Each structure stands twice: as C-alpha cells, then as structure tokens.
C-alpha cells in the first residue's frame, strides 16, 4: 500500500514542481487547499508565511498585489520578491505580530509591477508553529465603491429635490394667480380663516389690507390690456417683495388685491403698506418703449383691535379702502373703530 506523503517541516524549502504539488506537501495541506478554493476569487489578498518568512500559501489576489503569479511567490521570501526597503518593512510587521501573539492591523506599502506603490490595509494573525496568516485589502477599490455609492445617493437626493420642487410647483399652481404670482382667492379665504383661529387661540393680532389699483379701467382704455397686465404684474412683485413667508398677498379680482399680515397690528401694518404705496408711486413700468406709472389705494383693518368678527373685519378693510379713494386715492387709510369695540380693545 502506498504510504501518504509527509508534510514539509517548518523551515524547509518548498519542493520544486507546480503550485498544486507544493501545496499538497505543506503543513495542513488539506486546510490550505480548502482555503485556496474558498479565496480563489476573493478581492482580498490572503497569504500564509512560515517561520522563515517563506510564502506557503497565497491566493490569486495576494499574488497580483505582489506583481507575480502564485507559482512565482510560493516558497520565496519578501527579500526575494521585493526591494530591501519594502522587504524590511514587511518583515518588521510580521515580527511585531508574532511578538504580540494576536492579530495586528496596520498599513503596508508594496510596489506593484509598474513601480507604483500600493497603500494596503493589512491584518496579520500569528498561528502556532511560527506561521503568519495575513490579509491585504486594496482600499482604492473600496474608495471607488464608496464614491459610486456617494454618487448614487447624490443622484437620489437630487431626484427627491426635483420631485419636491415639482410637487411644490404643482401645489403653487393651484393656489397662485398665474399673472401676478400672488395667491388666489381660495388661498386668501383659507389663510384668513387660519389667522382668525390662531388669533382666537393664542390671543395674537393680525392685519387685513384691501388694495386697489387707482383708475385701472382708464389705464386699460388709454394704453390697452397689455399695459394693465404689466401694471398688475409690477404690483404683484412689490407685494411679494414686501411681505414675509407667513403673510399672504392675494389677488381677489381684476384690479383688487388683499394682504393678510400675520402677527402684525394696525400701526405696523399701516406703516408697511405706506412703504408699498410709495414704491408703487415711484415704479416705472415699460411697455414697448413707453413709461407707465400707477398708484394704489389701501384700507387697513386689524383683528381683534378693529373687530373680533371675520366678516366685520372684511367690511372694515373695504370701508377704509373706499375712504382712501374718496380722499383722492394714492393713500393708505386705517379702518375706523367703533366706540364699543375701542372700549373693549383699547389701542
């Protein structure tokens, strides 16, 4: 009966022949064969060195990192495979792992076949008998994968932003006047109800402003509908530019607008609208080389100082607007406060 081959004792050179012959005579040959099969296609370099620093096992990835085929690595030391500088670095790392008797993680530097230096993540684990089992991981591949993941996440985030912008745009289209960009009547009604509820719950004030373009019909009759639209667009820009995100400038009719100013009292609202009135008066609207000018009249009421009833608030702002027009237009009028209301809500 044929006797089984004896394994090569630690420290003996590997016999000549192909890689399969050498592997079969190494210590724990069956284990090394299994390790080779399991790691043949692994991206991580795996190797085993004996007590003299000879490679008794390398998987294809480890051999590639050393710039050789596996057959060219087995049975040789780092001194035979690398320049003295790099061989000494690896030898020192092996000795440190053996001395500590546990797995040691560090960074290795190995020149590849082209002469470029590879920065590798290395883990060395001592094995009884003076052996070292080590792994090399090329972080460049990991970095490429991470970069691809970052790019994919950025693309996903961009798509989510675009979807959110589209959703907001569609929402805005349903609540905004397409000509002037301010909110429409439906949003005005909703915002007014919200502000009344908030004021009643939290005992806070807000202001309602009625706005009308002065002599709008005469402007259109004299210069045409495009001129009227240009004026309305200019007024819409000024109202948007002089209100906050919590406010609601709205278009209620052809030349009629309203502004809901959240958390603002009568005096502050009057001051802000006076600033808008002056800007309208100074605004120059160009149409086919012709300069157009316009003015506005405004009526300002506040809740709860003017009144504590929604409809009465609307009527008060409208009455103040009519008074501004009666006084010659191009002015801002505060709403009158009834005697009983003033006693209940002193300014």
């Amino acid at each position: 009966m044929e006797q089984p081959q004896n394994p090569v004792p630690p420290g003996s050179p590997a016999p000549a022949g192909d890689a399969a012959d050498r592997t079969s005579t190494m210590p724990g040959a069956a284990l090394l064969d299994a390790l080779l099969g399991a790691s043949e296609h692994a991206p991580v370099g795996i190797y085993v060195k004996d007590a003299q620093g000879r490679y008794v096992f390398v998987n294809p990835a480890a051999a590639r990192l050393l710039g050789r085929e596996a057959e060219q690595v087995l049975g040789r030391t780092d001194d035979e495979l690398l320049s003295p500088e790099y061989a000494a670095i690896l030898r020192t790392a092996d000795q440190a792992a053996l001395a500590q008797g546990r797995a040691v993680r560090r960074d290795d530097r190995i020149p590849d076949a082209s002469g470029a230096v590879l920065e590798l993540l290395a883990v060395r684990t001592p094995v009884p008998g003076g052996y070292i089992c080590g792994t090399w991981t090329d972080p460049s591949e990991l970095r490429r994968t991470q970069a691809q993941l970052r790019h994919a996440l950025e693309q996903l985030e961009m798509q989510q932003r675009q979807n959110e912008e589209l959703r907001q745009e569609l929402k805005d289209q349903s609540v905004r006047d397409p000509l002037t960009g301010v909110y429409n009547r439906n949003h005005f009604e909703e915002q007014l109800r919200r502000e009344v509820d908030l004021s009643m719950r939290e005992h806070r004030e807000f202001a309602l402003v009625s706005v009308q373009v002065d002599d709008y019909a005469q402007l259109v009759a004299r210069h045409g509908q495009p001129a009227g639209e240009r004026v309305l667009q200019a007024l819409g820009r000024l109202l948007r530019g002089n209100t906050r995100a919590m406010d609601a400038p709205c278009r209620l009719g052809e030349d009629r607008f309203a502004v809901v100013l959240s958390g603002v009292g009568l005096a502050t609202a009057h001051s802000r609208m006076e600033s808008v009135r002056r800007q309208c008066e100074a605004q120059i609207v160009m149409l086919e080389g012709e300069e157009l000018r316009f003015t506005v009249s405004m009526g300002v009421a506040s809740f709860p100082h003017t009144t504590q009833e929604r409809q009465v608030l609307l009527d008060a702002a409208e009455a103040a607007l009519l008074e501004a027009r009666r006084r010659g237009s191009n002015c801002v009028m505060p709403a009158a406060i009834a005697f009983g209301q003033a006693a209940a809500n002193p300014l």
Side-chain angles (χ1 to χ4, degrees), residues 118-139:
L118 301 175
E119 301 285 345
L120 304 176
L121 301 177
V123 176
R124 290 173 171 81
T125 303
V127 180
Y131 292 91
I132 287 286
C133 181
T135 61
W136 283 319
T137 303
D138 186 354

Side-chain angles (χ1 to χ4, degrees), residues 165-229:
E165 290 171 0
L166 178 60
R167 187 192 67 78
Q168 187 63 43
E169 182 179 347
L170 293 174
K171 179 182 177 182
D172 285 349
Q173 288 176 359
S174 68
V175 299
R176 289 192 180 273
D177 173 57
L179 178 64
T180 63
V182 298
Y183 293 109
N184 57 26
R185 177 178 283 276
N186 289 337
H187 184 80
F188 168 74
E189 298 289 348
E190 179 183 348
Q191 183 74 10
L192 186 58
R193 283 193 296 271
R194 184 184 300 116
E195 286 295 335
V196 170
D197 291 343
L198 187 63
S199 178
M200 297 297 289
R201 287 197 314 270
E202 300 185 4
H203 306 287
R204 54 179 288 180
E205 55 191 355
F206 74 92
L208 173 64
V209 185
S210 291
V211 183
Q212 184 171 17
V213 179
D214 295 329
D215 302 321
Y216 181 75
Q218 291 88 330
L219 173 71
V220 173
R222 188 180 309 115
H223 300 285
Q225 188 62 37
E229 292 180 353

Side-chain angles (χ1 to χ4, degrees), residues 35 39 42-49 55 57-63 65-66 90 93-94 97 102-110 118-127 131-139:
L35 182 60
S39 65
V44 177
I46 302 174
Y47 64 86
V48 177
K49 296 179 184 177
Y55 287 91
F57 170 83
V58 287
N59 74 336
L65 291 173
L66 290 167
L90 297 186
D94 292 343
R102 60 178 178 83
V104 176
R105 182 189 180 283
R106 57 163 289 158
D107 294 335
D108 282 349
R109 302 175 73 248
I110 300 177
L118 301 175
E119 301 285 345
L120 304 176
L121 301 177
V123 176
R124 290 173 171 81
T125 303
V127 180
Y131 292 91
I132 287 286
C133 181
T135 61
W136 283 319
T137 303
D138 186 354

